[in-house]
Amino acid sequence: MKEKSVQKVLEEIGQKLQDLRKKKGYTSAESFAYDHDLPRVHYWRIEKGKVNITINSLHKILSIHKLSLEEFFSDK
């Protein structure tokens, strides 16, 4: 089994977060970050897979979406 690169994993996490944001009705990462008191540029970089997201940051973002880490990472 071929292992994914860290960059690929970060991009997949970012895409999932972007999908969740759009489901909440936000068309831009900036407005979502502003409304939820997140650093706007940093949040955009997370969605683009350009930063190594911490568990703490991911937990904070997922709590906005009312999701656990387990739910976020499940394939269901």
Side-chain angles (χ1 to χ4, degrees):
M1 184 169 134
K2 187 175 178 182
E3 188 174 318
K4 293 181 189 176
S5 72
V6 171
Q7 183 58 44
K8 181 69 176 160
V9 171
L10 291 173
E11 289 169 3
E12 289 174 1
I13 289 170
Q15 184 61 55
K16 285 181 86 169
L17 292 174
Q18 186 179 71
D19 293 345
L20 288 170
R21 169 181 54 82
K22 289 179 178 180
K23 285 180 185 174
K24 277 201 167 299
Y26 287 91
T27 57
S28 77
E30 182 178 12
S31 61
F32 176 82
Y34 182 80
D35 284 356
H36 297 286
D37 198 29
L38 300 168
R40 290 183 293 284
V41 173
H42 185 68
Y43 182 75
W44 177 85
R45 290 175 55 91
I46 290 170
E47 278 196 4
K48 296 299 178 189
K50 297 189 181 291
V51 311
N52 193 357
I53 188 171
T54 65
I55 296 296
N56 190 43
S57 294
L58 183 57
H59 182 266
K60 182 176 181 178
I61 294 166
L62 293 180
S63 69
I64 294 166
H65 296 291
K66 297 181 178 26
L67 287 174
S68 68
L69 288 168
E70 294 84 2
E71 291 167 323
F72 181 74
F73 286 110
S74 78
D75 289 335
K76 295 177 184 177

